[in-house]
Amino acid sequence: MTDATENPPASRSDQPGSYQRVMLKISGEALMGDQGFGLHPPTVQRIADEVKTVHDMGVEICMVIGGGNIFRGLQGSAQGMERATADYMGMLATVMNALAMQSALEAKGLYVRVISAIRMDEVAEPYIRRRAVRHLEKKRIVIFAAGTGNPYFTTDTAATLRANEMNCQAIFKGTKVDGVYDKDPKKHADAVRYDNVTYDEVLQKHLNVMDASAIALARDNNLPIIVFSLDEPGGFRGILSGTGTYTRVHG
């Protein structure tokens, strides 16, 4: 068997069109559609279509999906639940979302592996870095579930950690808006969108991109974050084709 480290992707680049391996991070809420809770199958299918169009370009794709559509650890903790227990429940929610996305992608003829940071061998593979890299080299989509496997860490941090471990060239953060703004564009008509913003500016200005630990981890490893609208049809593929609207967070 070929060693997993013999065929690494190209080095990180400033141009999205040159990316060969990327991490797609989406929130659990993105799978709700217009519902207030749970999974909306047509929305899951639409996102799967977006992922397939990028995979068809030859791009290797990792994914991390949050669990906020089912359970949020911070909310459980705020209501009196022990924080660690609440966070573990949130991790289990991410596994449910990962399995739903796996099913949607496999229905489109793609090969997908769900890899969980918490052992549950009947439904997902355990996390072994070299095995995950090998899946990517075989052009399988890899969905990382259960966060980092530790409480007190968000799926943003998990996505950044796994992106670095897989040597991804960028994190694509799918949101409801087409980039990073100085304030909420849905509430403020005068909100200004950034084309480029540094990691330090995100932290200093408290811009709503990812949590501070995820931004710091990306900064320390010079991993760019591309923030784009997941609701824009073809937006994911468009950016990787050299077009589209997005904000690039970098050093």
Side-chain angles (χ1 to χ4, degrees):
M1 181 181 291
T2 302
D3 190 280
T5 60
E6 288 183 5
N7 186 30
S11 59
R12 289 171 183 167
S13 166
D14 290 342
Q15 301 301 321
S18 67
Y19 295 156
Q20 297 172 17
R21 180 181 295 171
V22 300
M23 167 65 73
L24 174 62
K25 168 61 171 69
I26 60 178
S27 67
E29 288 88 340
L31 305 184
M32 291 192 307
D34 294 329
Q35 302 175 156
F37 178 82
L39 292 160
H40 184 237
T43 299
V44 177
Q45 292 292 333
R46 178 181 61 79
I47 295 173
D49 285 334
E50 294 282 325
V51 173
K52 184 179 187 301
T53 61
V54 171
H55 184 269
D56 289 346
M57 296 170 63
V59 178
E60 298 171 3
I61 302 172
C62 306
M63 295 181 69
V64 168
I65 307 171
N69 57 318
I70 299 172
F71 187 86
R72 293 185 66 87
L74 280 175
Q75 289 182 356
S77 177
Q79 294 172 7
M81 187 178 295
E82 180 191 20
R83 173 64 189 273
T85 297
D87 281 353
Y88 279 119
M89 292 174 66
M91 292 178 216
L92 298 179
T94 72
V95 176
M96 295 172 68
N97 285 338
L99 293 174
M101 184 58 65
Q102 179 187 42
S103 178
L105 290 167
E106 287 182 338
K108 300 180 186 302
L110 302 175
Y111 294 96
V112 187
R113 296 291 184 271
V114 173
I115 296 180
S116 173
I118 297 175
R119 294 291 295 249
M120 46 185 75
D121 296 345
E122 288 76 12
V123 298
E125 294 183 10
Y127 178 69
I128 300 172
R129 188 187 68 83
R130 292 168 67 86
R131 180 186 291 176
V133 170
R134 187 63 177 151
H135 286 321
L136 291 169
E137 291 178 346
K138 291 182 176 180
K139 307 305 177 183
R140 297 166 180 159
I141 294 172
V142 177
I143 306 176
F144 294 102
T148 66
N150 301 287
Y152 300 96
F153 291 94
T154 68
T155 51
D156 282 343
T157 301
T160 310
L161 173 65
R162 299 301 184 220
N164 279 304
E165 290 181 301
M166 295 300 105
N167 198 21
C168 292
Q169 292 161 293
I171 297 175
F172 279 70
K173 175 72 182 288
T175 69
K176 293 288 187 181
V177 294
D178 59 355
V180 179
Y181 287 77
D182 62 345
K183 48 192 169 185
D184 190 342
K186 294 184 178 181
K187 297 179 180 178
H188 304 276
D190 60 343
V192 176
R193 188 181 67 82
Y194 298 94
D195 287 326
N196 291 276
V197 63
T198 68
Y199 305 113
D200 288 339
E201 286 176 320
V202 169
L203 294 172
Q204 291 167 5
K205 297 179 180 180
H206 302 286
L207 301 177
N208 188 22
V209 179
M210 288 180 161
D211 64 74
S213 59
I215 294 295
L217 184 58
R219 178 190 61 193
D220 292 347
N221 292 277
N222 195 31
L223 178 66
I225 303 168
I226 307 296
V227 183
F228 73 107
S229 173
L230 198 62
D231 291 337
E232 180 182 345
F236 189 20
R237 177 186 174 91
I239 295 169
L240 285 159
S241 299
T243 59
T245 303
Y246 60 91
T247 296
R248 183 171 178 272
V249 182
H250 58 92

